Coordinates of all heavy atoms in Angstrom, one line a residue:
G14 N 0.8 -1.2 0.0 CA 0.0 0.0 0.0 C 0.8 1.3 0.0 O 0.3 2.3 0.4
V15 N 2.1 1.2 -0.4 CA 2.9 2.4 -0.4 C 3.4 2.6 -1.8 O 3.7 1.7 -2.5 CB 4.2 2.2 0.5 CG1 5.1 3.4 0.5 CG2 3.8 1.8 1.9
G16 N 3.3 3.9 -2.3 CA 3.7 4.2 -3.7 C 2.7 5.0 -4.4 O 1.8 5.6 -3.8
D17 N 3.0 5.1 -5.7 CA 2.1 6.0 -6.6 C 0.7 5.5 -6.7 O -0.2 6.3 -6.7 CB 2.7 6.0 -8.0 CG 4.0 6.8 -8.0 OD1 4.3 7.5 -7.0 OD2 4.8 6.7 -9.0
D18 N 0.5 4.2 -6.8 CA -0.9 3.7 -6.9 C -1.5 3.1 -5.6 O -2.3 2.3 -5.7 CB -0.9 2.6 -8.0 CG 0.1 1.5 -7.8 OD1 0.9 1.6 -6.8 OD2 0.1 0.5 -8.5
A19 N -1.0 3.6 -4.5 CA -1.5 3.2 -3.2 C -3.0 3.6 -3.0 O -3.3 4.8 -3.3 CB -0.7 3.7 -2.1
G20 N -3.8 2.7 -2.6 CA -5.2 3.0 -2.3 C -6.1 3.2 -3.5 O -7.3 3.4 -3.3
R21 N -5.6 3.0 -4.7 CA -6.4 3.2 -5.9 C -6.8 1.8 -6.4 O -5.9 1.0 -6.6 CB -5.7 3.9 -7.0 CG -5.7 5.4 -6.7 CD -5.2 6.1 -7.9 NE -3.8 6.1 -7.9 CZ -3.0 6.4 -8.9 NH1 -3.5 6.6 -10.1 NH2 -1.7 6.3 -8.8
K22 N -8.1 1.5 -6.6 CA -8.5 0.3 -7.2 C -9.2 0.6 -8.5 O -9.7 1.7 -8.6 CB -9.5 -0.4 -6.3 CG -8.8 -1.0 -5.0 CD -9.8 -1.8 -4.2 CE -9.2 -2.3 -2.9 NZ -10.1 -3.0 -2.1
R23 N -9.1 -0.3 -9.4 CA -9.8 -0.1 -10.7 C -11.3 -0.2 -10.5 O -11.8 -1.2 -10.0 CB -9.3 -1.1 -11.7 CG -7.9 -0.9 -12.1 CD -7.3 -1.9 -13.1 NE -8.3 -2.6 -13.8 CZ -8.1 -3.7 -14.5 NH1 -6.9 -4.2 -14.5 NH2 -9.1 -4.3 -15.1
P24 N -12.0 0.9 -10.9 CA -13.4 0.8 -10.8 C -14.1 0.0 -11.9 O -13.4 -0.2 -12.9 CB -13.8 2.3 -10.9 CG -12.8 2.9 -11.7 CD -11.5 2.1 -11.4
G25 N -15.3 -0.4 -11.6 CA -16.0 -1.0 -12.7 C -16.1 -2.5 -12.6 O -15.4 -3.1 -11.8
P26 N -16.9 -3.1 -13.5 CA -17.1 -4.6 -13.4 C -15.9 -5.4 -13.9 O -15.8 -6.6 -13.7 CB -18.3 -4.8 -14.2 CG -18.3 -3.7 -15.2 CD -17.7 -2.5 -14.5
G27 N -14.9 -4.8 -14.7 CA -13.9 -5.6 -15.3 C -12.6 -5.7 -14.5 O -11.6 -5.9 -15.0
R28 N -12.7 -5.4 -13.2 CA -11.5 -5.4 -12.4 C -10.8 -6.7 -12.1 O -9.7 -6.8 -11.9 CB -11.7 -4.6 -11.1 CG -12.7 -5.3 -10.2 CD -12.9 -4.5 -8.9 NE -14.0 -5.1 -8.2 CZ -15.1 -4.4 -7.9 NH1 -15.3 -3.2 -8.3 NH2 -16.1 -5.0 -7.3
N29 N -11.6 -7.8 -12.2 CA -11.0 -9.2 -12.0 C -11.2 -10.0 -13.2 O -11.5 -11.2 -13.2 CB -11.8 -9.9 -10.8 CG -11.4 -9.2 -9.5 OD1 -10.3 -8.8 -9.3 ND2 -12.4 -9.2 -8.6
L30 N -10.9 -9.4 -14.4 CA -11.0 -10.0 -15.7 C -9.8 -10.8 -16.1 O -10.0 -11.7 -16.9 CB -11.3 -8.9 -16.7 CG -12.1 -9.3 -17.9 CD1 -13.4 -10.0 -17.5 CD2 -12.4 -8.1 -18.8
S31 N -8.7 -10.6 -15.5 CA -7.4 -11.3 -16.0 C -7.5 -12.8 -15.8 O -7.2 -13.5 -16.7 CB -6.2 -10.7 -15.2 OG -6.0 -9.4 -15.5
P32 N -7.9 -13.3 -14.7 CA -8.0 -14.8 -14.6 C -9.0 -15.4 -15.5 O -8.8 -16.5 -16.1 CB -8.5 -15.0 -13.1 CG -8.1 -13.8 -12.4 CD -8.2 -12.7 -13.4
L33 N -10.1 -14.7 -15.8 CA -11.1 -15.2 -16.7 C -10.5 -15.3 -18.1 O -10.7 -16.3 -18.9 CB -12.3 -14.3 -16.7 CG -13.4 -14.7 -17.7 CD1 -14.0 -16.1 -17.2 CD2 -14.5 -13.7 -17.7
L34 N -9.8 -14.2 -18.5 CA -9.2 -14.2 -19.9 C -8.1 -15.2 -20.0 O -7.9 -15.8 -21.1 CB -8.6 -12.8 -20.2 CG -9.7 -11.7 -20.4 CD1 -9.0 -10.3 -20.6 CD2 -10.6 -12.0 -21.6
A35 N -7.3 -15.4 -18.9 CA -6.3 -16.4 -19.0 C -6.9 -17.8 -19.1 O -6.4 -18.7 -19.9 CB -5.4 -16.3 -17.7
G36 N -8.0 -18.1 -18.4 CA -8.6 -19.4 -18.6 C -9.2 -19.6 -19.9 O -9.1 -20.7 -20.5
A37 N -9.8 -18.5 -20.5 CA -10.4 -18.6 -21.9 C -9.3 -18.9 -22.9 O -9.5 -19.7 -23.8 CB -11.2 -17.4 -22.2
A38 N -8.2 -18.2 -22.7 CA -7.0 -18.4 -23.7 C -6.5 -19.8 -23.6 O -6.1 -20.4 -24.6 CB -5.9 -17.3 -23.4
T39 N -6.4 -20.3 -22.4 CA -5.9 -21.7 -22.2 C -6.8 -22.7 -22.8 O -6.4 -23.6 -23.5 CB -5.7 -22.0 -20.7 OG1 -4.8 -21.0 -20.1 CG2 -5.2 -23.3 -20.4
A40 N -8.1 -22.5 -22.6 CA -9.1 -23.4 -23.2 C -9.1 -23.3 -24.7 O -9.1 -24.3 -25.4 CB -10.5 -23.1 -22.7
A41 N -9.0 -22.1 -25.3 CA -8.9 -22.0 -26.8 C -7.7 -22.6 -27.3 O -7.7 -23.3 -28.4 CB -9.0 -20.5 -27.1
G42 N -6.6 -22.4 -26.7 CA -5.3 -22.9 -27.1 C -5.3 -24.5 -27.0 O -4.9 -25.2 -28.0
G43 N -5.8 -25.0 -25.9 CA -5.9 -26.4 -25.8 C -6.8 -27.0 -26.8 O -6.5 -28.1 -27.3

C-alpha cells in the first residue's frame, strides 16, 4: 500500500477479468 498507486483500485465490473481471460485463452489454445 505504499507508492504511486496506493489506495487506488480499478473501478467497474472488469477489475477481476485477468483470470477469466487467462482461462479462456488456455481453453482456446488447448
Side-chain angles (χ1 to χ4, degrees):
V15 180
D17 291 342
D18 55 351
R21 282 190 277 162
K22 291 184 179 180
R23 290 181 17 197
R28 62 179 170 246
N29 291 326
L30 206 52
S31 296
L33 179 65
L34 290 175
T39 303

